[in-house]
Amino acid sequence: MTPLTESAARSHMSGVCFKIGPPRLVGIEVEWFVHDNRCPTGPVLPERLHAALDSLPLGGPDGTSLPSGARLTLEPGGQVELSSPPAPGLTACVDETRRDLAALRAAFAAQGLRLTGTGTDPLARPRLMVLDHPRYLAMERFFDSAGPWGRIMMTGTASVQVCLDAGAEEGPQALDRRWRLAHRLGPVLVAAFANSPLLDGKPTGHRSTRQTVWSRMDPSRTLAPGPDHGDPREAWSRYVLDAEVLCIRRPGGLPWTAPAGLTFRDWLAGAGERPPTLADLDYHRTTLFPPVRPQGHLELRMIDAQPGDGWIVPTALVTALLEDPPAADAALAALEPLGCADGPLPPRSDVWRRAATLAVADPGLRRAALACFAAADAALGRLPGAERLRAVVAEYAERYPARGRCPADDQLDALRAGTRPTPPEEAAP
């Protein structure tokens, strides 16, 4: 077998991680905590999770896909994730995902379980690892060496991830422009949709505790890949090669742990127990968690999970801003005063910290958020068939950023009122 070289690794990543072409597809990944209706503060056993999933009409090559093509998976702490198939546009993605989520909620309700949309599990209950796959055992060991944050991330956080095409080679939908906008939008998305003020039943002092957790983890795999200007492919290649290897797959039930401090660049240079392969490189990429991750498409990972069908608003907002060139121009202009490209990399920069702590109570983030919502409103007004989505986004803007509030404030209000801190699941808009 020909050894994998750094040049071959870079070339592979450039082609696989950034699929170039006119943008048209939209996808969404939504994660949910699962609570027992009768005992919300108790753990939910894996058997009940699997019973709910097994009651659904699953198929596909690995037996985890709904008839629509959406994949259902369990996260290490028992969170359920629904990953939509790529849809030809925003409205198609929203309509199909709403139908899939209705079936998912019904299947869990039949087991006496509810899906809770919030960025961190707000209840004081045991955080258990419900999966014993060697990947997660290696992750647990890797992250435990640097504090509690990795284990909290794995078992106590949930998100909404919006997935859009990477972009064209040049023009108003050029990759470098979409890459820049996706990163600069990050703190506004954290702030506008902050929904994790509680952990273990107590306020943390952060509107997005989930984002704070991510900011305290291994920087080689959670920071942004570099300045948001220049060639994204080069920045991403450097990032992947310089990240520490979290796990090395081994056959025969052997543990997948990796030597401490080994980067993929080191591995290519001869360190490690064997030469790496392209399959090792592709697997290594799945263990990296920057705010924007290129997976052929762009995956925006900084948004807290939302209650009910609240995931629709960030999906519509992000899609409108990235897919509509005039809206993208307006958003970039509104985001410029935040200085997102200056100083430490996200999510450890000052503006990202303010977004996680204050959310849109921060005046600068509130102004930028309102300008982005206004730009998205105009874009949705130009999108055929998006009237209902436009109304839902406008209603959210009025309810939250226009008042300096975010969903986290609803949780804090409920806690002060003496009600249980689990946010109520809202009716679909």
Side-chain angles (χ1 to χ4, degrees), residues 314-336:
T315 304
L317 178 75
V318 171
T319 304
L321 294 179
L322 264 73
E323 302 301 279
D324 184 279
D329 288 341
L332 282 168
L335 296 166
E336 190 66 32

Side-chain angles (χ1 to χ4, degrees), residues 333-349:
L335 296 166
E336 190 66 32
L338 295 179
C340 299
D342 301 327
L345 291 173
R348 297 193 176 190
S349 64

Side-chain angles (χ1 to χ4, degrees), residues 188 334-335 337-338 354 360 362-374 401:
V188 164
L335 296 166
L338 295 179
R354 299 199 322 265
V360 286
D362 177 272
L365 284 162
R366 181 184 180 188
R367 284 192 296 271
L370 288 173
C372 288
F373 271 88

Side-chain angles (χ1 to χ4, degrees), residues 178-258:
R178 289 166 67 85
W179 178 259
R180 182 169 67 253
L181 177 55
H183 281 88
R184 294 196 178 190
L185 268 176
V188 164
L189 297 175
V190 171
F193 301 104
N195 187 35
S196 51
L198 307 175
L199 189 66
D200 294 332
K202 300 176 182 177
T204 65
H206 303 264
R207 295 299 199 280
S208 178
T209 303
R210 173 186 169 274
Q211 186 58 53
T212 299
V213 168
W214 280 105
S215 72
R216 295 177 179 177
M217 291 171 54
D218 171 26
S220 81
R221 59 185 5 89
T222 58
L223 293 183
D228 65 3
H229 54 273
D231 185 359
R233 286 162 288 204
E234 175 60 27
W236 180 244
S237 293
R238 288 196 307 268
Y239 184 89
V240 173
L241 297 180
D242 289 337
E244 289 191 37
V245 177
L246 185 150
C247 61
I248 297 175
R249 292 176 293 175
R250 299 181 181 90
L254 294 172
W256 288 15
T257 50

Side-chain angles (χ1 to χ4, degrees), residues 191-195 207 358-360 396 400-401 404-411:
F193 301 104
N195 187 35
R207 295 299 199 280
L358 301 173
V360 286
Y396 186 96
Y400 289 116
R405 290 177 59 87
C406 59
D409 293 305
D410 293 344
Q411 291 195 49

Side-chain angles (χ1 to χ4, degrees), residues 1-6 9 241 245 248 262-282 284:
M1 179 183 297
T2 304
L4 178 63
T5 64
E6 182 171 325
L241 297 180
V245 177
I248 297 175
L262 177 73
T263 68
F264 205 91
R265 193 185 303 276
D266 296 334
W267 199 2
L268 287 171
E273 63 201 55
R274 60 169 175 78
T277 65
L278 275 179
D280 291 320
L281 175 62
D282 286 336
H284 171 62

Side-chain angles (χ1 to χ4, degrees), residues 28-51:
I28 183 73
E29 299 177 17
V30 284
E31 295 174 343
W32 306 89
F33 291 105
V34 182
H35 290 103
D36 187 320
N37 281 325
R38 291 174 297 180
C39 183
T41 57
V44 177
L45 296 178
E47 293 79 8
R48 295 180 69 191
L49 299 173
H50 288 293

